[in-house]
Amino acid sequence: MKRILCLIFCAAVITALCGCQQQTASRTADKVSGVGEIMKNAENSADAVETFDVTVQNETIIPDKNYPELDYDADIDLTELNSTMVYSEVLNMMNSPQDYVGKKVKASGSFSVFTNLDSGKLYYSCVIADATACCQQGLEFVLAEERKFPDEFPIQGRQITVAGVFDTYEEDGKILCCLSNAVMSY
Amino acid sequence: MGAVYENAGVFEKLGAYLQFPFVRYALIVGVLIALCSSLLGVTLVLKRFSFIGDGLSHVAFGALAISGILGLTNDMVIVMPVTIISAVLLLSTGKNAKIKGDAAIAMISVGALAIGYLLLNIYSSSTNISGDVCTTLFGSTSILTLTPVEVWMCVILSIAVVVIYILFYNKIFSVTFDESFARATGIKAGAYNLLLAVIIAVIIVLAMNLVGSLLISALVIFPALSAMRVFKSFKSVTICSACLSVFCAASGILISIVCSTPVGSTIVAVDIAAYIIFWLLGTVRRVIR
């Protein structure tokens, strides 16, 4: 008898919790609109932080995982591996670059641009994520041919395939890695 | 390194992936860590300290956060001593302690995790805190990014743990089952408890690379519990636990590499599947008898 009463009580609690979801959703919706209003007010206020215009289109594209083809004879072809292997290999490249210098590397990922605020220099990179997209690692590349930014570059977030020779260089006392003499398709 | 085609068979893919040095490193280290964890797991489960792995791994996470803030290149300088001290404190609390074993573990565990995450956010030196925390907590790709130096350190420490366990097997057995009797027969139970605490701390720090902080308990508990479903003697449980843990760790790593799943979670999933199989085997065996 006690067990039956326990089961009925548990079923009642579960049913009640399920019924609460709709109310929770509406309270959440109210909060979202409330936060949205707060954000709008913050942007319009005189004390709002000035955003830095890097003349970069910042549209977000939902990746379709169909990376563009690129004909390139690579020593390390990351486009053929799954995301776990790719992320691990790229991380190993960053941790032990001396083992990869001079090797031809081909990789696919999302296009990203960074600006050195002091010098104004632009850095182009192919951002590679692991299987859960929790961790990301950028692989900088320097194109072989001169291109004008942003007209001759894809918008940020677009899927690209890039290939080049893995190399290292020093800047501001730090050793940085990049793909030199690179080619890109998007 | 040749290209691996998407349409290749599983074994062809595995063969190609094994060409990568970091995959071989992951397998070597993963197997050794699993072996060491399973050996100590039997003792911990029997002494009702199953959750010590969780507690110590959270302490190690907090220590890792501090070493990151201080900008140390070698995390082990802070992580290992802090974890060892915590292990000694937790396992040394006797029956007269004001805060009992499980409460002490919970207190230190949650406190270290919270303080570690708080410090990481306040004094961050990383551009991707969430990613670093996620990797440390769940071990998604940590085992696949080991340097040769780290691999050698893991190998040496693992061999040391196995050798110590084999050399002091009888004493560890006595202290595990009846500490009072062990003391009465002249065995220095306090010293062996201290030795166990140090070994456990070392294994926990190594195992964080394999499965992450949150899943370490699974690596310690599941093989021992699985073996206990089928075998009854301490020796047979230990041997079965070690073999099972090694098999599950190797399988988990290979499955995660081929199927592109997080390594830590995959290993724990294989451990759970093995436990279910052994539970069924044990049930069938009891029914037959």
Side-chain angles (χ1 to χ4, degrees), chain A residues 9 14 26 33 35 37 41 53 68 81 88 96 102 109-110 147 163 177:
Chain A
F9 176 71
I14 290 166
S26 63
S33 63
V35 168
E37 282 176 7
N41 291 335
D53 183 10
L81 306 177
S88 303
S96 308
S110 308
R147 285 198 194 190
C177 306

Side-chain angles (χ1 to χ4, degrees), chain B residues 11 21 70 92 100 117 136-137 162 199 224 229 245 268 289:
Chain B
F11 291 107
L70 295 174
S92 298
K100 300 300 179 195
Y117 190 60
T136 307
L137 291 178
V162 173
I199 293 172
R229 295 282 82 85
S245 185
V268 174
R289 282 186 182 172

Side-chain angles (χ1 to χ4, degrees), chain B residues 180-230:
Chain B
S180 304
F181 179 77
R183 264 184 236 272
T185 55
I187 294 173
K188 293 178 184 175
Y192 286 106
N193 277 330
L194 182 66
L195 178 67
L196 279 173
V198 170
I199 293 172
I200 289 162
V202 167
I203 291 169
I204 294 299
V205 172
L206 295 179
M208 276 177 67
N209 277 326
L210 182 60
V211 293
S213 296
L214 294 184
L215 302 175
I216 277 178
S217 288
L219 205 64
V220 169
I221 296 168
F222 272 110
L225 290 177
S226 302
M228 284 176 193
R229 295 282 82 85
V230 176

Side-chain angles (χ1 to χ4, degrees), chain A residues 87-98:
Chain A
Y87 179 79
S88 303
E89 179 74 325
V90 171
L91 212 57
N92 281 312
M93 282 182 189
M94 299 300 137
N95 290 334
S96 308
Q98 65 280 1

